[in-house]
Amino acid sequence: MSSIAPVRAANPRPRGRPARYGVAIAVATIVVIVLVASSVLDYVFLDSIPGRTALYGLLAVGLVALGTFIGVRAFERDPAVRRRHLIRAGVLLGLAVMLWLLVIDLYVFTSSAGPSVAAICAAACLPTTAFGLFVVRRLDRNEKEPWRLVLVAFAWGAIVATSMVIWGESLWSAIAGRVLVPGPGLDASTAFSAGLLEELAKGVAVLLLFLVMRNEFDDVVDGIVYGAAVGLGFNFLESVAYMTNLYSIFSPDGVGGYAAGFQWYSRQVLGLFFGHATYTALIGAGIGIARQLHGRRQQAMAVASGFLIAIAAHFSWDAWVPFFPIESSALGLVEIHLRTLIMTGPFTALVIALLLSGLRYEGEALRDQMQKEATEGTGAILAPEVPMLTNPWRRLGQRMQALTKRGFKAYFALARLQTAQLDLAMERWHRERQEIDTPLEAEYELRKRVIELRRQAGFQPAR
């Protein structure tokens, strides 16, 4: 108990809600104001988006916000009630996505293409987007993020960020079109508006997730995962919009299907990770680094750096694309790959470097905490388990062995035990660094849960 007493003094039970909740409320309020103001200005001065479309768009945003609130609060309730709240949150998020697809995207972008074309385009983007989310979640090999939060991040990128960008960019384009003549100046203005407005809109989603669920947002690795999930959500809606819109434009010439297919390949295959996922992952990386800094100035600089690099990466793509047109020949197929690799590849490589560095640092920290837990002899983590728990392949191998010998029930029981043990090590790590605001009793409860899961699984490590 002597090793616990100093930690208790350094991490007293917080009184009331953390101050970050107030910041989250302020950011969310600003988002709502921006959405309402931009939609009203669009309707009154530009008349580019009908009033009912703006109304349905705000309704979709409201459904996402309500679904997020219910999903987050579900984990503060009794486990018996938790499942019902998660189902309600999932239904609300699903309705929001459907409302956006069926009303906003169809009405604003693809009224002439028809609902069947838009439905086919959306169906074509679903498998690739689902694959992208699966890969992104698997990036954190030490402690995978809950699907509920990954999907919330996806929904915010698909609906809230897209809503802010549609109305913001329509205003920007209208103003720039009246001031600038077609040419390099207008092209640079369009590229800058895309980089600035889209990355700010997507970054707000990552920032809100960090503020509300900081205890699930561990470090730079988690920041990359959540940032990429937001980017994939934005990329999904943008892909559907471009595919259906270009189909409508080129269908009279008989090449509408080709135009839509080209957009699908460039955005859902080639650009699935080399695009919005990379840009927003850079924002998430900055927020994740700030998560483990203590000085306010350092935290602000880390967050601002993530935003600035993402904006610069996005701007560089849009600004340079007009200078590298793709020829409609076999050479064009080579050019589009080289263009993506040269223009976005360095930023994707930066994300990979940050991810690998974060995984190594996180893995060493978790191994240290597991060894300390095993030394204390609490029974939650035993010394022979440490090498297995710190190796994702050995964890999988042990689960497969349980599946072979005792069936699926044993497999999932062991998976729950391993996840709880990793959660305990992560909790210890954050508490040791004094970067967690849950009371010490939360660690005790987590340790009790690990011991109970061990008893239920009937698992003892080989000696």
Side-chain angles (χ1 to χ4, degrees), residues 106-399:
L106 290 177
Y107 194 89
V108 176
F109 295 105
T110 61
S111 57
S112 57
S116 59
V117 173
I120 293 172
C121 292
C125 295
L126 279 175
T128 48
T129 301
F131 172 76
L133 287 173
F134 174 79
V135 171
V136 162
R137 183 175 178 269
R138 298 286 299 183
L139 291 178
D140 191 350
R141 63 182 186 181
N142 295 318
E143 188 192 36
K144 294 179 181 59
E145 303 312 307
W147 269 115
R148 69 184 189 276
L149 295 183
V150 174
L151 293 178
V152 164
F154 171 82
W156 272 78
I159 298 173
V160 182
T162 306
S163 300
M164 296 175 67
V165 166
I166 287 175
W167 296 317
E169 287 188 345
S170 61
L171 285 171
W172 185 296
S173 299
I175 296 173
R178 295 175 182 177
V179 176
L180 301 173
V181 298
L186 185 58
D187 291 340
S189 172
T190 302
F192 182 72
S193 71
L196 178 66
L197 296 179
E198 292 182 16
E199 298 315 315
L200 285 177
K202 291 184 294 178
V204 164
V206 188
L207 182 61
L208 282 173
L209 187 64
F210 163 70
L211 292 172
V212 175
M213 295 294 291
R214 195 183 74 165
N215 293 338
E216 293 284 355
F217 201 117
D218 296 312
D219 50 22
V220 64
V221 177
D222 289 6
I224 290 173
V225 171
Y226 289 126
V230 171
L232 287 172
F234 190 92
N235 185 64
F236 172 74
L237 262 297
E238 188 179 66
S239 298
V240 175
Y242 273 88
M243 290 170 66
T244 49
N245 194 34
L246 289 178
Y247 178 90
S248 174
I249 293 174
F250 290 99
S251 56
D253 300 328
V255 293
Y258 172 81
F262 179 82
Q263 286 295 316
W264 177 83
Y265 181 78
S266 63
R267 295 176 182 276
Q268 287 293 308
V269 178
L270 188 58
L272 187 64
F273 300 112
F274 287 87
H276 289 294
T278 286
Y279 306 147
T280 320
L282 289 168
I283 297 176
I287 296 174
I289 292 172
R291 165 73 168 92
Q292 297 200 293
L293 297 176
H294 294 290
R296 297 296 184 189
R297 183 177 180 181
Q298 293 177 320
Q299 291 175 340
M301 289 182 63
V303 173
S305 297
F307 272 92
L308 289 175
I309 295 173
I311 292 170
H314 197 152
F315 169 78
S316 67
W317 169 264
D318 284 281
W320 281 98
V321 159
F323 295 96
F324 297 97
I326 301 299
E327 298 181 7
S328 47
S329 63
L331 181 61
L333 295 177
V334 179
E335 289 176 339
I336 185 175
H337 291 82
L338 290 176
R339 185 178 71 177
T340 301
L341 185 63
I342 294 172
M343 295 168 60
T344 308
F347 297 101
T348 305
L350 175 60
V351 171
I352 294 173
L354 290 171
L355 175 68
L356 294 177
S357 176
L359 285 172
R360 181 178 179 180
Y361 177 66
E362 183 182 82
E364 292 174 352
L366 291 179
R367 182 182 298 107
D368 178 62
Q369 293 301 324
M370 290 178 190
Q371 290 172 345
K372 290 179 179 178
E373 182 72 23
T375 302
E376 292 174 6
T378 63
I381 298 177
L382 306 181
E385 293 177 310
V386 174
M388 179 272 300
L389 289 172
T390 54
N391 188 312
W393 293 109
R394 292 185 65 179
R395 292 198 303 268
L396 176 61
Q398 194 172 45
R399 294 197 302 271

Side-chain angles (χ1 to χ4, degrees), residues 37-121:
S38 59
S39 62
V40 170
L41 289 173
D42 244 334
Y43 174 61
V44 173
F45 294 103
L46 304 179
D47 199 24
S48 60
I49 299 180
R52 56 176 170 168
T53 303
L55 175 63
Y56 288 139
L58 294 176
L59 178 58
V61 171
L63 288 174
V64 171
L66 182 58
T68 302
F69 175 77
I70 293 176
V72 169
R73 289 295 303 274
F75 287 82
E76 299 178 6
R77 298 179 180 272
D78 185 85
V81 191
R82 184 178 302 169
R83 184 170 179 272
R84 292 201 301 269
H85 284 272
L86 288 177
I87 292 175
R88 292 169 184 169
V91 170
L92 288 172
L93 293 176
L95 286 175
V97 174
M98 290 300 298
L99 182 64
W100 184 259
L101 281 172
L102 295 176
V103 179
I104 303 296
D105 196 48
L106 290 177
Y107 194 89
V108 176
F109 295 105
T110 61
S111 57
S112 57
S116 59
V117 173
I120 293 172
C121 292

